[in-house]
């Protein structure tokens, strides 16, 4: 897998036939190691270790209803009150972070209303603070929990 701009972390891999798997500390099971999953796992460990996000408040790949259509977000961190706090859309390192990626994240946030929205491909990250009635503000990093 490709080196990413997140700090390294200790991970567990296994292989079944030709398929690699990585242990997911949130879902507490091995999941198929795709390039996007590599990014998601790096992000999760970064949020836990460097941004103080409690692992119990992180949800991965959950389905939401968006105007009657099921959609699946990548990562949501919830506040201690149980409200979506940070929504992150993850892409493989080879996927450029275009306006389509931002549009996807913002569509999901219509249902979630998280005050922070981010996109990452593991190499580049963009995080925004969304305040009602104000223009989005780009942040230098993911927010501290």
């Amino acid at each position: 897998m490709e080196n990413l701009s997140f700090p390294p972390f200790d991970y567990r891999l296994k292989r079944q036939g030709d398929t690699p798997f990585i242990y997911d500390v949130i879902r507490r099971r091995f999941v198929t190691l795709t390039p996007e999953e590599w990014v998601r796992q790096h992000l999760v460990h970064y949020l836990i270790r460097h941004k103080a996000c409690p692992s119990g408040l992180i949800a991965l790949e959950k389905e939401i209803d968006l105007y009657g259509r099921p959609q699946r977000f990548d990562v949501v961190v919830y506040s201690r009150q149980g409200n979506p706090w940070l929504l992150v859309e993850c892409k493989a390192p080879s996927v450029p972070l275009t306006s389509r990626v931002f549009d996807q994240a913002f569509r999901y946030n219509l249902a979630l209303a998280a005050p922070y929205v981010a996109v990452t491909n593991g190499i580049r990250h963009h995080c925004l603070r969304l305040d009602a009635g104000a223009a989005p503000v780009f942040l230098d990093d993911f927010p501290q929990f």
Side-chain angles (χ1 to χ4, degrees):
M1 286 286 146
E2 190 170 339
N3 286 330
L4 303 178
S5 63
F6 289 112
F9 68 98
D10 291 330
Y11 53 87
R12 293 181 5 204
L13 298 177
K14 76 175 187 177
R15 195 174 272 285
Q16 288 181 335
D18 291 337
T19 306
F21 292 84
I22 188 166
Y23 187 77
D24 181 339
V25 297
I26 302 301
R27 292 175 275 193
R28 294 187 177 112
R29 63 181 170 90
F30 281 91
V31 296
T32 304
L33 179 56
T34 62
E36 183 178 310
E37 190 63 46
W38 183 241
V39 172
R40 187 170 21 254
Q41 291 302 314
H42 274 78
L43 170 69
V44 164
H45 285 268
Y46 179 72
L47 292 174
I48 293 169
R49 290 200 172 91
H50 300 275
K51 295 298 175 179
C53 295
S55 61
L57 297 178
I58 299 174
L60 304 181
E61 294 194 300
K62 297 287 185 185
E63 192 172 283
I64 56 172
D65 180 72
L66 188 59
Y67 301 113
R69 298 181 59 207
Q71 303 289 316
R72 189 175 291 272
F73 63 71
D74 282 320
V75 179
V76 169
V77 178
Y78 291 90
S79 69
R80 294 198 186 278
Q81 293 73 37
N83 300 315
W85 178 73
L86 168 65
L87 165 69
V88 185
E89 179 61 27
C90 298
K91 296 297 182 188
S94 62
V95 176
L97 299 179
T98 64
S99 62
R100 292 184 72 171
V101 176
F102 280 92
D103 290 345
Q104 180 182 10
F106 288 130
R107 267 194 319 275
Y108 294 165
N109 204 43
L110 290 173
L112 296 167
Y116 294 98
V117 175
V119 296
T120 181
N121 63 7
I123 307 298
R124 300 187 64 211
H125 327 288
H126 299 285
C127 187
L128 296 98
R129 166 89 183 157
L130 307 174
D131 292 315
V137 176
F138 277 90
L139 305 175
D140 292 333
D141 194 6
F142 292 90
Q144 190 73 25
F145 187 77

